[in-house]
Amino acid sequence: MADGENVEIESEATPEAPAAAGVLDLNSALQQVLKKSLVKDGLARGLRECVKALDRRQAHLCILASDCDSAEYVRLVEALAQEHQISLIKVPDGKQLGEWVGLAKLDREGKPRKVVKCSCAVIRDWGEDTPAKIFIKEHVAANS
């Protein structure tokens, strides 16, 4: 981020479908931004990819699951984000984050099946400029 401050944001809202053109909450905005980033191949998922992106200063935003099992994992990601002044957002559930970053199989109706837990994701490329991206940037700036 341009402001150069590490921000930890706790998201306590329940998972919802993305808001159409109405009011955005943090979870729906994150979901939209992660999908756009995934399409542009600007998303790092998992510890190895995330640490490489954070260490190379390619990251714009880091998303960490609060229910991560390993304390060393959390300390490493938080330390790298703080060292390189990359904003950090915490989400409550790793399975929810895994679904948002594309680590799930979809059935014929489009409902997620076989969701794989993801503890960390990093946005390297935002993709398109969307209201969700603006909302996330404003949210991070307001909580810094």
Side-chain angles (χ1 to χ4, degrees):
M1 296 277 322
D3 60 346
E5 297 204 13
N6 183 29
V7 179
E8 290 189 24
I9 303 167
E10 293 288 334
S11 172
E12 299 296 330
T14 58
E16 298 176 359
V23 179
L24 287 172
D25 66 337
L26 182 60
N27 283 343
S28 63
L30 264 177
Q31 185 176 5
Q32 291 177 18
V33 166
L34 288 169
K35 291 290 182 192
K36 295 290 182 187
S37 181
L38 182 63
V39 169
K40 286 288 281 191
D41 197 30
L43 192 61
R45 305 172 285 188
L47 181 64
R48 183 179 175 90
E49 288 182 30
C50 289
V51 166
K52 286 187 345 188
L54 288 168
D55 204 29
R56 293 177 183 166
R57 295 181 173 91
Q58 295 174 337
H60 297 291
L61 179 68
C62 181
I63 300 102
L64 183 67
S66 296
D67 66 345
C68 181
D69 299 332
S70 175
E72 293 88 15
Y73 188 109
V74 173
R75 280 193 307 234
L76 174 64
V77 172
E78 287 176 346
L80 283 172
Q82 184 177 13
E83 179 183 344
H84 301 302
Q85 289 88 29
I86 297 166
S87 299
L88 179 72
I89 295 179
K90 288 191 175 181
V91 295
D93 187 25
K95 284 216 179 257
Q96 181 181 14
L97 182 59
E99 181 182 337
W100 290 350
V101 298
L103 296 176
K105 299 286 183 185
L106 300 177
D107 62 6
R108 292 178 189 218
E109 290 83 37
K111 303 216 188 251
R113 304 282 183 221
K114 296 184 182 179
V115 179
V116 177
K117 182 178 174 183
C118 180
S119 294
C120 183
V122 167
I123 296 177
R124 293 181 299 204
D125 182 6
W126 289 99
E128 304 173 4
D129 284 336
T130 61
K133 175 185 169 186
I134 294 167
F135 179 85
I136 295 289
K137 284 189 169 186
E138 289 173 354
H139 189 64
V140 167
N143 290 319
S144 60

